[in-house]
Amino acid sequence: MSEFVVITGLSGAGRSQAADILEDLGWFVIDNLPPSLMQKVAELAGAPGSSISKVVLVVGTGPYHDEVLPALDGLAAQGLRLRILFLEASTDVLVRRYESSRRRHPLDHEGRGLAGAIEAERALLEPVKEHADVVVDTSELNVHQLRSRILDLFEAESPEAGMQTTVMSFGYKHGLPLDTDLVIDCRFLPNPHWVDELRPLRGTDERVKAYVMGHEVTGVFLDELTSLLELLLPAYVAEGKSYLTIAFGCTGGHHRSVAIAEEIARRLGEQGYDPKVVHRDIDR
């Protein structure tokens, strides 16, 4: 059975770069494909004797944004293994990228200006984003970091691999992560930042872990959360979800969120999910 990845999202967020990375992994890539041709490509890939089994379709906004969802529904109706990767970035980052490249935004017309065009495209693509299997925010990713993220998602996967789970820590003062499914606030836990000998350390250090885990509220929180995840994750798998990101936040992203993310990842590993752990702000 053919596998299809549809890359879509905001112009300037890295669609072509993501496609190049997948092409390096052996996927057959078609960039800037009109949605009306998606089903035709699927028919050709699935024809007897075809050597194409893994296809990437890169779909932009263009004049046919309202055709994207019907085309995706058509692919899904064919029984293909289909995943949708949506790339986005903050408006100020996209403005800087466009100003640097000196390219014109596809919706920059009617006097709305570059920022207005970006916001208009964001609104147009919101229904597509809601159908995405994974959303990646590239605002703070350079090309090497984007490559690492794409490789994490696709390099070692197989149709039998099940749902890919990522456990992330972050600091609220650096902003909420956009590419996440569940956000858990850990700021109610005792803070190692106020312990002089623990302040310079990080949540991966055993002394910080012992401090965070040594409070009764932490144990109750972890047990209740583990029970909730034991309910949610099998339901997500049964629903066909391909990717799940659980983010834990504290003030700076150095101590509590890191320790909790490490512990939850360990518990999920015991349940057979083999999660990837990302500490977004640990070195800030």
Side-chain angles (χ1 to χ4, degrees):
M1 181 176 66
S2 298
E3 297 180 56
F4 278 76
V5 170
V6 174
I7 300 176
T8 185
L10 300 178
S11 302
R15 297 187 309 243
S16 295
Q17 292 92 328
D20 290 342
I21 296 165
L22 288 177
E23 189 171 39
D24 291 342
L25 292 177
W27 291 71
F28 182 79
V29 175
I30 304 176
D31 202 347
N32 201 26
L33 181 73
S36 59
L37 297 180
M38 284 186 184
Q39 292 191 50
K40 178 58 68 176
V41 172
E43 292 171 5
L44 294 173
S50 173
S51 60
I52 301 174
S53 60
K54 300 170 71 175
V55 181
V56 174
L57 306 177
V58 185
V59 179
T61 307
Y64 38 67
H65 64 271
D66 55 346
E67 300 176 14
V68 175
L69 283 181
L72 293 175
D73 290 340
L75 286 181
Q78 295 186 39
L80 304 169
R81 184 174 189 236
L82 171 66
R83 285 152 299 164
I84 304 170
L85 171 62
F86 189 97
L87 302 180
E88 66 178 356
S90 64
T91 298
D92 60 332
V93 168
L94 292 174
V95 167
R96 290 198 298 270
R97 290 177 183 175
Y98 267 96
E99 289 177 343
S100 175
S101 68
R102 299 185 179 180
R103 295 183 58 207
R104 186 181 180 87
H105 192 280
L107 299 184
D108 187 4
H109 53 76
E110 299 178 358
R112 69 176 88 199
L114 179 54
I118 292 168
E119 290 303 318
E121 184 181 45
R122 194 185 303 277
L124 288 174
L125 290 176
E126 187 62 29
V128 179
K129 178 183 174 181
E130 292 177 358
H131 283 72
D133 294 289
V134 61
V135 177
V136 174
D137 178 16
T138 68
S139 300
E140 300 185 17
L141 301 182
N142 60 37
V143 64
H144 305 293
Q145 293 167 327
L146 176 60
R147 180 177 180 82
S148 177
R149 182 75 170 112
I150 297 299
L151 293 179
D152 286 342
L153 291 170
F154 293 99
E155 185 174 32
E157 71 165 19
S158 69
E160 294 77 28
M163 182 175 66
Q164 289 193 33
T165 305
T166 299
V167 177
M168 175 189 296
S169 70
F170 72 94
Y172 276 95
K173 73 177 184 180
H174 302 298
L176 282 167
L178 299 180
D179 49 346
T180 186
D181 299 289
L182 302 174
V183 177
I184 309 296
D185 189 344
C186 299
R187 290 176 292 183
F188 68 94
L189 296 174
N191 192 352
H193 177 80
W194 304 115
V195 180
D196 290 342
E197 60 268 26
L198 299 181
R199 186 177 301 130
L201 305 177
R202 296 295 180 259
T204 51
D205 189 284
E206 291 301 324
R207 288 164 288 181
V208 175
K209 288 183 180 180
Y211 177 85
V212 174
M213 303 301 167
H215 293 79
E216 181 179 358
V217 65
T218 306
V220 174
F221 164 63
L222 285 170
D223 289 344
E224 295 290 340
L225 180 58
T226 300
S227 296
L228 177 62
L229 294 177
E230 287 175 348
L231 170 67
L232 292 180
L233 268 65
Y236 284 134
V237 172
E239 188 267 339
K241 192 170 180 62
S242 299
Y243 308 97
L244 177 71
T245 300
I246 309 167
F248 295 91
C250 62
T251 304
H254 296 162
H255 298 116
R256 292 167 290 180
S257 62
V258 173
I260 295 299
E262 292 277 336
E263 176 61 18
I264 287 296
R266 185 189 69 78
R267 295 188 181 201
L268 292 180
E270 292 178 347
Q271 298 176 28
Y273 289 100
D274 191 24
K276 175 181 174 60
V277 180
V278 176
H279 298 306
R280 193 192 72 175
D281 300 324
I282 193 170
D283 294 321
R284 290 194 177 190

